């Protein structure tokens, strides 16, 4: 029942380190840790669903797990969630949310997020960019306070 140990087992099975490589077992262990709120496990589980490793590919499930980790400040999940909104995978395509999530990941130092934020911005109006920046600031504050709900009507 220890989330950190469950996450580590998931990593071991995903990478075949010390055990035979087994994506289904990795999903099991990531899932147990993710259900307890472990952001690293939530991110990894989102990636497994996004790529269809050990589970059928399911973008909606990927978005669910990426969002839970992203709202805890996980930059990888923020980047991935930005990509899901950018491409409309598991969610309706939404450049404002794509920009917002890429912006949050970029603030954490993710250079790819900085690049993707710029690409998305070229498809947006100045008003949309302003809205996305405001949402990113509000979300960063919620993350700092450990609150949920970075997405809503804008």
């Amino acid at each position: 029942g220890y989330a950190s140990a469950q996450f580590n087992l998931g990593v071991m099975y995903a990478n075949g380190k010390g055990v035979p490589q087994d994506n289904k077992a990795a999903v099991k262990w990531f899932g147990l840790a993710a259900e307890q709120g472990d952001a690293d496990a939530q991110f990894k589980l989102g990636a497994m669903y996004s790529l269809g490793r050990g589970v059928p590919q399911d973008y909606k499930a990927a978005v669910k797990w990426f969002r839970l980790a992203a709202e805890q400040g996980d930059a990888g999940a923020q980047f991935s969630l930005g990509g899901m909104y950018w491409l409309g995978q598991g969610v309706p395509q939404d450049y404002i949310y794509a920009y917002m999530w890429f912006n949050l990941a970029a603030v954490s130092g993710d250079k790819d997020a900085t690049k993707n934020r710029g690409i998305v911005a070229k498809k947006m109006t100045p008003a949309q960019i302003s809205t996305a920046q405001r949402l990113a600031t509000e979300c960063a504050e919620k993350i700092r306070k450990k609150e949920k709900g970075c997405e809503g009507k804008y």
Side-chain angles (χ1 to χ4, degrees):
Y2 185 53
S4 181
Q6 293 167 332
F7 169 76
N8 288 332
L9 276 170
V11 171
M12 292 173 75
Y13 276 106
N15 297 326
K17 299 291 183 184
V19 294
Q21 196 279 335
D22 184 339
N23 284 328
K24 287 184 181 183
V27 166
K28 171 193 168 186
W29 291 109
F30 288 145
L32 290 168
E35 289 289 349
Q36 293 184 66
D38 184 286
D40 292 330
Q42 291 167 340
F43 169 63
K44 291 285 193 185
L45 189 57
M48 299 298 273
Y49 276 105
S50 178
L51 299 169
R53 292 198 178 141
V55 290
Q57 188 174 50
D58 184 340
Y59 291 135
K60 287 185 181 185
V63 166
K64 169 191 169 181
W65 293 110
F66 286 149
R67 184 177 291 119
L68 288 169
E71 288 188 350
Q72 292 186 66
D74 185 288
Q78 291 166 344
F79 177 84
S80 297
L81 195 51
M84 302 300 275
Y85 275 106
W86 182 14
L87 300 173
Q89 294 177 325
V91 290
Q93 187 176 47
D94 188 317
Y95 292 141
I96 290 174
Y97 281 135
Y99 184 104
M100 178 192 86
W101 288 115
F102 284 144
N103 194 57
L104 287 163
V107 167
S108 296
D110 188 311
K111 291 181 183 6
D112 289 330
T114 301
K115 176 183 163 192
N116 288 1
R117 179 184 60 193
I119 293 169
V120 171
K122 291 178 183 177
K123 298 179 179 284
M124 299 170 69
T125 66
Q128 289 174 318
I129 292 170
S130 178
T131 297
Q133 289 171 334
R134 176 183 52 80
L135 290 173
T137 300
E138 291 171 3
C139 184
E141 182 63 17
K142 286 181 179 181
I143 290 169
R144 189 185 68 74
K145 292 180 177 179
K146 299 186 185 299
E147 296 175 358
K148 302 281 185 230
C150 283
E151 297 174 12
K153 292 189 179 187
Y154 51 83

